[in-house]
Amino acid sequence: MKILIRYFALAASMLLMVTVQGQSTWTVPDAKKKTPNPVKPTTENISLGKNLYNQNCKSCHGDPGKNNGLPLTPKPVDPLSDQYQKQTDGEIFYKMQTGRGAMPNFKETIKDNDKWAIINYIRSLKKGGKTAEAEATSEPAVASATNTDTLTQSASSASGNKMAISLTIHTEDSTASIYLSELSSEGKRIPAAGVEVGLYVKRTFGNLPIFGDDIPVTDANGVAIVKIPQGLPGDTIGNLNLIAAVINTDQFGKVEATVAASFGVKTPIVDLTEETALWGRSKKAPAYLLITYFSAIIIAFGTMGYVVKEVASLRKYKKTV
Amino acid sequence: MASTKLSSEESRKVLDKIETDLIRPMRSHKGLELWLLFLGLIFIVGGYAYFIQLRDGLGVTAMRDYSSWGSYIANFVFFVAASLIGMFISSVFGLLKIKWVIPISRIAEMIALAFAMWAGLVIVIDMGRPDRLHHVFLYGRFQSPIVWDITVVTSYVAISMLLLLIPMIPDASILKRRMSDAPKWQQMIYNLLTLGWDAQPEQYAILKRSMRVLMILIIPIALSIHTVTSWLFAMTLRAGWDSTIFGPYFVSGAFVAGVAAVIIAMYFFRYNYKLGDYITDYHFNRIGQVLVLVSAVYIYFNLNEYFVPAYKMRTAERLHLEEMFTGHWAYMFWFAQIFCLAIPTFLLIFKKLRKPKIMLWLAVFVLIGAWLKRILIVIPVQQHPYLPIQNVPDSFKEYHFTGIEIALNILPIAGVLLIITILAKLFPVISVWEVAHEKGVDETIIK
């Protein structure tokens, strides 16, 4: 039975190999290739595409540009690779629609417009990729404090100018104001309007967004006001690290400012191994356990000792010599 | 089995016959050299395998990141199981004053001691760094079932030793008298064990009281050795181990393995040691009934252990159970359950079939099944962790026994046989004084 199944599996996989080899290039009907992309690549749309990519594609295709997709055969191609980018939008759309082999089809699971958003995002990477290079060559952060609560960091904007972000916390009404600006070549700060910014709390495994469902966008003065939720757990003395950051890092690079604020809820940190519990260290074993354990040992070996002593006394009763 | 008192002259005659019958096989060494040579060969092969394992590490076994407990642990569980029987037969039946076990209780105790002693060594074989053995005692956590297990197994070895040696006192005094031609060291052992035995009523009182105390104490200890061994598994959250009935399931399984081991030993001693007058068909019939009883209990626990989760088929359990019922482990599983448990139990229901030779074969099957069952309990579960196994070498995914492993699983079995062989050559395998008592021999002359 098992052997039969094995042979069957072997035969099936051989068949599969033949077919896969037979069509190792994934051809798309010409008509489909030419399907135009009906969705405009706006900032919002690209940002939506990015989210969708991270949710649906990244697990196999990896981080764009890092070539760290899953080691499957055939390999899920890196979206930044030439092989991937040289496809038309229509081709990528078609492949998402049909899937092949390990690549699932997303016909029903992702709405058509959302598929186009993913394609927009993938296309934006090619341009964004260049920005990333530019950023690497430019001077990194200019850090300056506009007041005690604020720290500014900057990176280069899409236009090549440096960006600066500052974060001010207003404890009275628990809001944060984020001010985003471009640094002109003369060193003046020009407000950057219409850019999505986020407010986060630094956590051990990443940043926790606290701006809610509506993404804050800077106004004409380059300012976005975000209400800070109450009751956020802080460290042992109630400190929190708040971070203001530009959301679209692909376009603007990493633009962030961090401020320590002291209105988190004090959270005592308990080291689990220091607790008196079954999972604690040996020295922290619960008393009931130790009592049971040692009394069992004492009873068992005590009784055995008693028996040995008894038996040793046999000699006393020896009569015949 | 009447126990009417015999006259002192008859007593002497009967005692003399019993002594002669039971001591004779200790003197005849026919085939012993060949047997020891055979065991020695196994030791040499096993020793070499162990050398390779020490030199190259546990990678020479099939154990990997996922199945980090392999056939050694299964073997350990089997050893602990087989050792349980000493307590069952000698103490439970002894306390219930069931007479027919008298001629086989020492055999059971010898088996128990040999398996229990080697169980500890099997664990050492399983260690990648046996040089750190003492760390278990220095750094072990009292909360860990592993520490409890070491504690109970050690206690069990100690008490089994006492329960073997203390009833040996009157026999030692007889041996001292009858084996005056034995080598010096052997006589020294008898001398030491005699402890001034003089068959005085006070001495009998002490002896019987001591034995009774030990028989009572050994029951909780013996139950704990196998319950705690089952907790090594049941205290985890793994599908297939995370079971509340693992304790009694293991204990009942242990009785099955142990009774089968005793039947094999009884057969061997009956024919090889020519003890047909003492270990009779009646005894086989009785122990056969015991095997039916313990197997029925074990089948009942099996039903609970497999059918209850199989009815619900929770996701994680399902993977495991399907591998057992129809997948990779199916052959072994059904072979163990049907041929090594259900069929022998069924056949032994019939009195006609409870005959030594048939029972020997059935017992061999039961024992093999008991060993396979331990493999099925230990290994497959680990191949279904809650997170899927991904991107690992193929050797991590399946368990294929290596030659080294097989050699090192056979070595302890040879070790057990060696201990039993030595004990059976040093002491009568049937308690002389207890049999004499049963026959109504005057107590005061048993010395």
Side-chain angles (χ1 to χ4, degrees):
Chain A
M1 182 59 178
K2 213 175 70 189
I3 292 180
L4 253 170
I5 294 175
R6 245 194 218 156
Y7 280 127
F8 183 74
L10 200 75
S13 58
M14 267 154 72
L15 211 81
L16 214 90
M17 261 155 68
V18 172
T19 45
V20 167
Q21 272 164 3
Q23 35 163 277
S24 62
T25 50
W26 190 348
T27 39
V28 175
D30 274 347
K32 300 277 180 192
K33 260 189 199 170
K34 294 195 187 104
T35 321
N37 186 341
V39 178
K40 287 246 140 44
T42 59
T43 318
E44 278 104 62
N45 189 256
I46 289 176
S47 145
L48 170 74
K50 182 182 178 180
N51 275 339
L52 288 167
Y53 177 86
N54 288 344
Q55 279 169 25
N56 297 296
C57 322
K58 188 175 155 180
S59 56
C60 293
H61 286 271
D63 302 295
K66 296 212 176 135
N67 202 20
N68 60 355
L70 277 190
L72 302 171
T73 335
K75 202 173 157 32
V77 196
D78 189 303
L80 251 177
S81 66
D82 286 342
Q83 186 194 333
Y84 199 108
Q85 289 284 349
K86 76 169 190 261
Q87 307 174 83
T88 64
D89 285 3
E91 258 179 301
I92 302 179
F93 184 84
Y94 176 82
K95 290 179 179 176
M96 268 193 258
Q97 204 74 339
T98 55
R100 186 174 82 161
M103 159 87 186
N105 79 62
F106 295 92
K107 197 173 163 84
E108 306 290 341
T109 42
I110 301 179
K111 285 193 279 226
D112 282 359
N113 275 352
D114 287 351
K115 284 186 199 124
W116 293 116
I118 296 178
I119 294 170
N120 281 336
Y121 164 65
I122 289 169
R123 293 301 183 205
S124 81
L125 289 171
K126 203 64 190 166
K127 304 167 207 151
K130 290 206 184 84
T131 330
E133 277 159 37
E135 186 200 334
T137 49
S138 72
E139 265 301 300
V142 182
S144 71
T146 45
N147 67 42
T148 44
D149 270 349
T150 315
L151 192 87
T152 316
Q153 278 200 337
S154 80
S156 48
S157 77
S159 58
N161 280 340
K162 284 177 183 157
M163 306 276 292
I165 194 166
S166 47
L167 170 62
T168 312
I169 310 292
H170 308 285
T171 20
E172 327 82 66
D173 57 353
S174 57
T175 53
S177 57
I178 301 166
Y179 171 50
L180 185 70
S181 60
E182 263 181 56
L183 288 178
S184 71
S185 43
E186 299 92 56
K188 268 179 60 188
R189 291 185 75 169
I190 311 157
V195 180
E196 287 180 338
V197 287
L199 185 68
Y200 307 85
V201 178
K202 192 169 168 45
R203 291 287 183 231
T204 312
F205 297 108
N207 297 339
L208 171 76
I210 53 169
F211 49 86
D213 292 337
D214 302 320
I215 300 176
V217 179
T218 51
D219 61 14
N221 299 324
V223 173
I225 306 282
V226 183
K227 186 118 185 92
I228 304 171
Q230 293 296 301
L232 287 168
D235 63 10
T236 39
I237 51 165
N239 272 349
L240 281 175
N241 279 320
L242 292 175
I243 299 169
V246 171
I247 290 179
N248 191 341
T249 49
D250 294 319
Q251 192 179 345
F252 298 101
K254 191 171 161 184
V255 189
E256 265 187 26
T258 309
V259 168
S262 61
F263 57 82
V265 176
K266 287 181 192 160
T267 317
I269 292 175
V270 202
D271 184 345
L272 284 181
T273 56
E274 290 305 320
E275 230 174 281
T276 298
L278 283 177
W279 57 82
R281 297 181 298 132
S282 198
K283 292 219 168 64
K284 294 286 176 181
Y288 70 84
L289 184 85
L290 293 177
I291 293 169
T292 316
Y293 178 82
F294 285 107
S295 35
I297 290 185
I298 290 168
I299 292 171
F301 282 91
T303 316
M304 285 187 238
Y306 162 79
V307 167
V308 169
K309 198 195 113 241
E310 280 282 279
V311 168
S313 74
L314 280 176
R315 183 159 276 130
K316 275 201 307 224
Y317 302 97
K318 187 174 165 79
K319 293 246 168 70
T320 39
V321 193
Chain B
M1 300 266 144
S3 49
T4 39
K5 288 265 175 288
L6 303 176
S7 71
S8 93
E9 195 184 325
E10 276 173 318
S11 283
R12 231 161 258 293
K13 262 195 1 228
V14 172
L15 181 62
D16 192 63
K17 173 158 175 12
I18 298 173
E19 284 176 4
T20 318
D21 284 350
L22 296 182
I23 291 174
R24 187 188 359 90
M26 291 167 55
R27 293 173 176 280
S28 114
H29 290 183
K30 210 177 93 221
L32 184 67
E33 283 90 354
L34 217 64
W35 171 240
L36 289 178
L37 194 74
F38 172 68
L39 292 183
L41 270 177
I42 296 180
F43 272 95
I44 290 170
V45 174
Y48 181 65
Y50 191 60
F51 163 74
I52 293 178
Q53 181 177 303
L54 274 187
R55 192 190 58 193
D56 300 346
L58 283 174
V60 300
T61 71
M63 285 186 273
R64 293 292 182 272
D65 292 33
Y66 290 97
S67 296
S68 54
W69 277 0
S71 59
Y72 295 153
I73 295 292
N75 208 27
F76 165 74
V77 177
F78 173 77
F79 273 52
V80 175
S83 77
L84 210 62
I85 195 57
M87 136 354 231
F88 189 54
I89 292 205
S90 72
S91 79
V92 174
F93 287 12
L95 287 172
L96 292 173
K97 302 223 178 340
I98 291 171
K99 298 285 184 225
W100 63 264
V101 294
I102 288 174
I104 58 175
S105 62
R106 188 171 287 165
I107 296 177
E109 279 158 9
M110 284 177 173
I111 293 176
L113 183 64
F115 273 109
M117 283 167 80
W118 272 95
L121 293 173
V122 172
I123 287 298
V124 177
I125 292 178
D126 186 55
M127 295 179 122
R129 291 292 301 265
D131 53 312
R132 293 183 183 168
L133 180 60
H134 58 287
H135 288 201
V136 177
F137 302 98
L138 293 180
Y139 310 116
R141 289 168 63 248
F142 293 113
Q143 296 99 314
S144 163
I146 292 183
V147 167
W148 310 341
D149 208 39
I150 292 167
T151 314
V152 285
V153 171
T154 319
S155 317
Y156 187 70
V157 170
I159 192 166
S160 300
M161 204 133 29
L162 289 179
L163 206 52
L164 180 69
L165 292 181
I166 288 178
M168 201 73 88
I169 294 170
D171 282 11
S173 135
I174 294 168
L175 288 167
K176 192 171 145 191
R177 167 160 57 78
R178 302 211 38 148
M179 299 280 283
S180 47
D181 54 341
K184 266 246 137 48
W185 59 269
Q186 199 172 337
Q187 290 194 34
M188 249 165 69
I189 294 178
Y190 299 144
N191 222 347
L192 264 175
L193 261 179
T194 305
L195 287 172
W197 180 255
D198 198 17
Q200 298 299 326
E202 297 93 333
Q203 292 187 320
Y204 272 112
I206 292 177
L207 182 70
K208 286 184 177 160
R209 188 170 62 237
S210 306
M211 281 169 62
R212 198 159 49 242
V213 169
L214 289 180
M215 282 175 183
I216 293 169
L217 179 67
I218 202 171
I219 294 174
I221 295 185
L223 289 179
S224 355
I225 62 166
H226 222 41
T227 307
V228 174
T229 302
S230 85
W231 287 351
L232 299 181
F233 306 95
M235 294 298 195
T236 69
L237 282 168
R238 281 176 172 278
W241 286 350
D242 178 10
S243 156
T244 51
I245 64 158
F246 246 42
Y249 171 55
F250 268 46
V251 169
S252 63
F255 287 157
V256 176
V259 173
V262 167
I263 291 175
I264 296 171
M266 277 167 68
Y267 186 90
F268 172 82
F269 286 125
R270 173 177 162 144
Y271 290 99
N272 205 294
Y273 276 36
K274 309 212 166 42
L275 299 176
D277 289 348
Y278 299 86
I279 304 173
T280 61
D281 280 6
Y282 170 77
H283 294 97
F284 275 91
N285 179 28
R286 283 302 179 140
I287 194 97
Q289 290 172 336
V290 174
L291 187 55
V292 172
L293 172 71
V294 293
S295 299
V297 174
Y298 190 43
I299 290 172
Y300 167 72
F301 274 110
N302 267 288
L303 195 66
N304 280 280
E305 182 55 30
Y306 290 106
F307 180 63
V308 174
Y311 190 84
K312 295 174 280 194
M313 281 294 188
R314 266 185 307 196
T315 325
E317 307 261 358
R318 173 184 208 124
L319 262 179
H320 170 59
L321 289 173
E322 283 178 349
E323 283 283 88
M324 295 284 247
F325 295 159
T326 52
H328 184 73
W329 299 93
Y331 283 126
M332 202 192 268
F333 180 80
W334 292 115
F335 176 75
Q337 298 288 44
I338 295 174
F339 289 95
C340 305
L341 187 58
I343 293 183
T345 312
F346 177 73
L347 293 180
L348 287 176
I349 292 175
F350 302 102
K351 180 154 191 221
K352 268 212 189 77
L353 296 178
R354 290 199 295 268
K355 291 281 161 350
K357 199 164 242 126
I358 301 171
M359 285 177 62
L360 172 73
W361 286 110
L362 293 179
V364 167
F365 266 84
V366 170
L367 206 60
I368 291 173
W371 196 83
L372 295 178
K373 199 65 199 298
R374 304 307 181 281
I375 292 279
L376 290 170
I377 288 172
V378 175
I379 298 173
V381 165
Q382 299 172 78
Q383 288 166 352
H384 307 290
Y386 283 108
L387 292 178
I389 299 179
Q390 283 176 337
N391 300 336
V392 295
D394 278 344
S395 65
F396 284 32
K397 297 180 196 161
E398 280 194 7
Y399 198 96
H400 296 294
F401 298 91
T402 65
I404 303 258
E405 231 177 314
I406 293 171
L408 283 177
N409 280 329
I410 294 176
L411 172 80
I413 295 173
V416 166
L417 295 175
L418 181 68
I419 293 186
I420 297 177
T421 309
I422 294 173
L423 287 176
K425 285 294 159 194
L426 282 182
F427 303 108
V429 291
I430 295 176
S431 172
V432 177
W433 70 275
E434 281 169 294
V435 170
H437 257 204
E438 266 315 289
K439 297 242 154 103
V441 171
D442 176 13
E443 284 200 342
T444 53
I445 64 164
I446 305 177
K447 57 185 172 183

